[in-house]
Amino acid sequence: MILEQFYLGCLSQASYLIGCERTGRALVVDPRRDVDIYVEAAAKHGLTIERVLLTHYHADFISGHLELADRTGARIGLGNAVAPEYTADLFVDDERIELGDVTIEVRHTPGHTPESVCYVVYDGDPGSAAPYAVLTGDTLFIGDVGRPDLMASVGCSAEDLGTRLYHSLHEKLMTLPDETLLYPGHGAGSMCGKALSNDTVSTIGAQRRSNPSLQPMSEAEFTALVTSGQADPPQYFGFDAVQNRSHRKTLDEALRDALREISLEETRRLGFEGTVLLDVREADAFSAGHMRGSINVGLSGKFATFAGYVVAPESRIVLIGDAEQVAEAAVRLGRIGLDGVVGQLAGGFATAAAQPELLMTFLRVGPAELEERLQTDAPPALIDIRGPGEIEAGAIPGAQAIPLQHLESRRGEIPTDRPIVLICRSGYRSSLAASLLQRAGFQHVSDLAGGMLAWDAAHAERL
């Protein structure tokens, strides 16, 4: 048996290639949208990809099932609880897929979504071999379980899905042997759970012992645990869940216009008409000078996730950066379904920099400077854009909490009679927030360079 995991750190997402070495037959589970990696891995192992399977209709990324089917002719398969628009094999509970010496057993595990399934992998005859591994999608993670409250589950209450998740875990997954390897759909950083581990593989036994959501408790206690304290998901989640059950463009089709060069004059015109001018340079470069009206999401962080917080899925987008940055950004936006990239600013930011009257800047203040400003007679207003859980772990006294995803809808709460300093964990999100406020007309905006990490480190040095 060949079982290879592909982990995409920027989306905290795992996908899998499973094949039989003897027969050369293989399938892929939960592929990302740029599918070259699976085609190349299959060729390396001498495998032919016959099927592409989904564990559910993902909300946090666009799955590459249509792309892989288009590229290889593979048949799409998923559980039969909810039928997609495209042609697919819809598996009943306990149905088996034979690849030769490798067998995949489908287990219906509703809860994260109504149609969620898990795939139990046997290396040998299931009649005599113990389950080797289970691919749990978003049903069971390492250290957590899938949340039942996402927009992917429109039409079902979180409480109902929480109850169904309880039964799926205990009746479908916890019946597996302790030594069965557990391969989840996501790791730490995903919005599909609260407390996911950085580990990317575990065992059923290890999770039975250590996962807080698998400890003895009633259905009601479990449902209360898994539905409380969940962060607000990005606005693209509901959109992606619908896209993953629908006919849509492939990534190659979506990227057709992404690298088209657009003049500065046309870029400005598009910006005035509502097109998002997305500058993908890093925060220090952006703060030192950027095109008026542009917003900043740097490629170094969870670029797609935070772009998805502030850019509506149907938006038209012009990218600003160098050629390599733009090419990477277009693919990463495509992974979450932001397919509206109409091109890039010809010549990158240097084109705009040649006309200083088109530029804006903002100041990045360090911890010492911010502390000095807070002690003056006219201190700045502090806006902490982190999530509630982050703020509970520690915040600067007097800071006003407005999570990033609510910043534009709650602009009326932000003072306009004094300077603003935006705060996040590391200084990545605060640059994005500063650009949003500048685009909205705020004049005296700055952010805390290094975020709370720098603030806490500076204060720890004094102890």
Side-chain angles (χ1 to χ4, degrees):
M1 181 181 69
I2 294 167
L3 195 164
E4 186 170 353
Q5 182 187 68
F6 304 86
Y7 195 78
L8 185 61
C10 62
L11 290 177
S12 305
Q13 184 260 333
S15 51
Y16 300 89
L17 172 71
I18 304 172
C20 173
E21 191 172 32
R22 180 179 64 82
T23 64
R25 300 169 61 193
L27 56 79
V28 174
V29 178
D30 288 341
R32 67 201 202 202
R33 202 175 177 195
D34 44 319
V35 298
D36 286 351
I37 191 170
Y38 312 109
V39 176
E40 292 167 2
K44 180 186 70 175
H45 292 297
L47 300 173
T48 298
I49 299 173
E50 298 182 347
R51 293 178 181 267
V52 52
L53 309 183
L54 301 183
T55 55
H56 63 293
Y57 298 124
H58 300 277
D60 56 314
F61 71 102
I62 298 292
S63 174
H65 51 289
L66 296 183
E67 284 78 4
L68 203 51
D70 182 65
R71 183 78 63 85
T72 68
R75 293 160 56 188
I76 300 170
L78 61 157
N80 68 351
V82 182
E85 291 182 2
Y86 43 82
T87 300
D89 298 323
L90 303 180
F91 303 125
V92 299
D93 196 18
D94 297 327
E95 186 168 346
R96 289 178 175 174
I97 304 163
E98 306 287 346
L99 296 176
D101 299 331
V102 177
T103 299
I104 312 296
E105 180 182 272
V106 182
R107 295 199 180 185
H108 285 202
T109 52
H112 175 65
T113 67
E115 76 283 352
S116 290
V117 299
C118 296
Y119 297 110
V120 181
V121 183
Y122 292 87
D123 186 7
D125 182 2
S128 56
Y132 173 80
V134 58
L135 278 56
T136 56
D138 291 15
T139 297
L140 175 60
F141 299 125
I142 299 173
D144 202 356
V145 297
R147 58 190 292 184
D149 64 323
L150 291 179
M151 291 181 67
S153 307
V154 171
C156 297
S157 71
E159 290 71 22
D160 172 59
L161 284 170
T163 298
R164 296 170 74 180
L165 180 60
Y166 177 90
H167 288 280
S168 292
L169 291 166
H170 291 283
E171 297 168 13
K172 293 289 187 174
L173 294 181
M174 291 301 100
T175 59
L176 292 167
D178 279 356
E179 62 270 20
T180 303
L181 294 173
L182 188 157
Y183 288 100
H186 291 289
S190 169
M191 295 289 294
C192 294
K194 288 186 292 187
L196 282 67
S197 170
N198 285 310
D199 295 336
T200 59
V201 62
S202 183
T203 64
I204 289 293
Q207 293 308 297
R208 196 192 311 277
R209 293 186 295 272
S210 64
N211 192 313
S213 297
L214 296 178
Q215 303 314 300
M217 67 185 81
S218 68
E219 287 181 23
E221 291 170 326
F222 172 84
T223 301
L225 175 65
V226 299
T227 57
S228 64
Q230 299 283 9
D232 292 339
Q235 59 180 323
Y236 71 87
F237 270 36
F239 174 82
D240 280 14
V242 172
Q243 290 292 296
N244 278 323
R245 69 185 66 177
S246 306
H247 287 294
R248 54 161 176 79
K249 294 186 292 187
T250 64
L251 182 62
D252 287 342
E253 292 170 329
L255 295 178
R256 203 160 280 162
D257 294 329
L259 301 183
R260 180 173 71 95
E261 292 195 339
I262 299 176
S263 69
L264 179 60
E265 181 180 352
E266 185 181 356
T267 297
R268 293 183 65 202
R269 178 183 62 78
L270 290 170
F272 288 133
E273 293 174 354
T275 296
V276 176
L277 307 184
L278 182 56
D279 191 320
V280 302
R281 296 175 300 144
E282 298 310 312
D284 285 345
F286 182 85
S287 65
H290 52 272
M291 192 169 171
R292 190 177 301 274
S294 61
I295 63 173
N296 177 228
V297 187
L299 281 173
S300 65
K302 288 191 174 293
F303 168 75
T305 297
F306 290 115
Y309 267 122
V310 299
V311 179
E314 66 277 8
S315 298
R316 288 161 57 85
I317 302 166
V318 173
L319 296 171
I320 301 173
D322 64 36
E324 185 176 342
Q325 290 172 327
V326 165
E328 179 183 349
V331 171
R332 291 172 70 175
L333 291 173
R335 287 173 181 162
I336 64 165
L338 295 186
D339 288 347
V341 179
V342 297
Q344 61 177 313
L345 173 61
F349 173 70
T351 301
Q355 299 192 35
E357 70 277 9
L358 302 181
L359 304 186
M360 300 186 73
T361 64
F362 65 83
L363 182 64
R364 312 203 82 196
V365 300
E369 182 181 352
L370 177 58
E371 192 155 24
E372 289 178 5
R373 291 174 63 179
L374 290 173
Q375 293 171 358
T376 66
D377 294 335
L382 306 181
I383 307 297
D384 194 325
I385 62 165
R386 296 176 298 157
E390 295 176 284
I391 290 175
E392 287 175 7
I396 299 176
Q400 180 181 356
I402 303 180
L404 174 63
Q405 60 267 40
H406 301 306
L407 189 67
E408 293 198 277
S409 64
R410 294 175 57 183
R411 284 203 311 258
E413 301 175 27
I414 300 174
T416 57
D417 59 347
R418 51 188 171 137
I420 303 295
V421 178
L422 294 147
I423 301 164
C424 71
R425 176 179 177 272
S426 67
Y428 177 83
R429 286 172 285 176
S430 58
S431 178
L432 168 55
S435 68
L436 290 173
L437 291 188
Q438 281 193 323
R439 186 177 66 170
F442 284 78
Q443 297 297 313
H444 303 291
V445 178
S446 57
D447 76 334
L448 175 59
M452 287 301 296
L453 293 177
W455 178 270
D456 291 340
H459 285 75
E461 291 175 359
R462 302 177 189 176
L463 298 178

